[in-house]
Amino acid sequence: MSILAGFTTTQIQGLTTTTIGVLSTTDMRALVSTQLAALTTTQVAVLSSTQLAALTSTQMAALETTDLGVLTTTQLRGFGSTQLVGLTTTQLGTLTTTQLGGLTSTQVSGLTTTQVAALTTTQVEGFGTTQIAGLTSGQVAALSTTQLGALTTTQIGALSTAQIRGMETTDLAALTTTQIGGLTSTQLGALSSAQAAALETTDLGVLTTTQFAGLRSTQLGALTTTQIGALTTTQLSELNSTQSAALTSAQIAALTTTQIGALSSTAIGALATAQIRGMETTDLAALTTTQVAGLTSAQLGALT
């Protein structure tokens, strides 16, 4: 049994930093909440990562926010995931970006969704790409639209496909055009049909041809006619046969003559007869000679 068990809070505060520095892990675990709360910032500052690692989650909740503020990144890295979950949202909210930035990806992934949701936008911005990549899908889903809006394009680019799929449609819709522009074609290709349909028309408009080429046929088929109408001619010119074949008749009908004219002969040639019949007469009249030459006999027969 530790001799500290009988110490008053006054006696605890009277311990020198030298004495504090040699306390065993048994002594640390013996401290009750009132004793821990009585520790001064000077005393807390000299605790080793090993000593801090001995604290239970219950003891963690007793630490004063001012005490947490003096902890170095080395000391914080000594905490295990079970200890960090013992921190209240108030305690977690006092940690600086430097302190949070020093946590390992394993420590960050161990935070509860409640703790993650309570982080300030400044704290979220302070996470490195390794920490962002370490977030679980559940943690990403717990982030508010405001928190997600604070992520840099570098942080957005560090998200895995599993994390992207874990985002709510409202979260995706809230992303800025700059953030959407930072997504890779692989990340975009991971979106579900519902997520693709949630993208703002302005977001779709900023996609590069490389990003646009990453969209799967099921995603394109899920786009609304409003979204289809917002696609640029440059994007549409990159449609391959698989992508164009996935467009619905309603989507084809929503394309303007200018957009139709941007389709390659390969994309036109892949259209089903039902898609051809869905085209307006003005669209058909706007087809170039190259596009017409690419039509199959079955497609031509659908025009009669």
Side-chain angles (χ1 to χ4, degrees):
M1 180 178 177
S2 172
I3 59 171
L4 296 179
F7 278 33
T8 65
T9 54
T10 303
Q11 289 175 309
I12 290 291
Q13 289 180 330
L15 296 176
T16 66
T17 53
T18 301
T19 302
I20 290 290
V22 296
L23 292 178
S24 67
T25 53
T26 301
D27 291 325
M28 293 300 297
R29 281 192 292 270
L31 293 171
V32 296
S33 298
T34 52
Q35 291 174 316
L36 276 168
L39 289 174
T40 66
T41 53
T42 303
Q43 290 174 314
V44 171
V46 299
L47 290 173
S48 67
S49 55
T50 302
Q51 289 174 307
L52 289 168
L55 297 177
T56 65
S57 56
T58 302
Q59 288 176 307
M60 290 288 290
L63 290 173
E64 297 288 334
T65 54
T66 51
D67 294 334
L68 288 171
V70 301
L71 295 179
T72 65
T73 53
T74 301
Q75 288 174 304
L76 285 169
R77 285 196 198 99
F79 289 133
S81 298
T82 53
Q83 293 170 302
L84 287 176
V85 297
L87 293 176
T88 65
T89 54
T90 301
Q91 288 175 309
L92 198 63
T94 62
L95 296 181
T96 66
T97 53
T98 300
Q99 289 175 309
L100 283 172
L103 296 178
T104 66
S105 56
T106 301
Q107 288 177 307
V108 172
S109 65
L111 296 175
T112 67
T113 53
T114 301
Q115 289 176 312
V116 170
L119 294 173
T120 66
T121 53
T122 302
Q123 289 177 313
V124 171
E125 285 178 302
F127 280 138
T129 53
T130 302
Q131 294 167 313
I132 290 293
L135 292 173
T136 65
S137 298
Q139 288 174 317
V140 173
L143 291 172
S144 67
T145 54
T146 304
Q147 289 173 309
L148 287 170
L151 295 178
T152 66
T153 53
T154 302
Q155 290 174 311
I156 289 287
L159 293 172
S160 67
T161 52
Q163 290 172 312
I164 292 291
R165 283 193 293 270
M167 294 176 69
E168 301 289 340
T169 54
T170 49
D171 295 331
L172 277 168
L175 292 180
T176 66
T177 53
T178 302
Q179 290 175 312
I180 292 294
L183 291 172
T184 65
S185 55
T186 301
Q187 289 175 311
L188 286 167
L191 296 177
S192 67
S193 298
Q195 288 176 314
L199 291 173
E200 299 287 336
T201 53
T202 50
D203 295 334
L204 286 170
V206 301
L207 295 182
T208 65
T209 52
T210 301
Q211 289 175 305
F212 191 72
L215 294 177
R216 292 177 287 104
S217 56
T218 51
Q219 293 171 313
L220 287 171
L223 296 180
T224 65
T225 53
T226 302
Q227 289 174 308
I228 288 291
L231 298 177
T232 67
T233 53
T234 302
Q235 291 171 323
L236 288 169
S237 68
E238 295 297 316
L239 274 182
N240 58 43
S241 56
T242 303
Q243 290 174 315
S244 63
L247 296 176
T248 66
S249 298
Q251 289 175 317
I252 295 291
L255 293 173
T256 65
T257 54
T258 303
Q259 288 176 308
I260 291 288
L263 296 175
S264 67
S265 55
T266 301
I268 290 288
L271 295 177
T273 53
Q275 291 171 302
I276 292 292
R277 283 194 292 269
M279 295 174 69
E280 300 289 338
T281 54
T282 51
D283 295 331
L284 291 169
L287 291 177
T288 65
T289 53
T290 302
Q291 289 173 315
V292 172
L295 293 174
T296 65
S297 56
Q299 289 175 315
L300 289 170
L303 299 176
T304 58

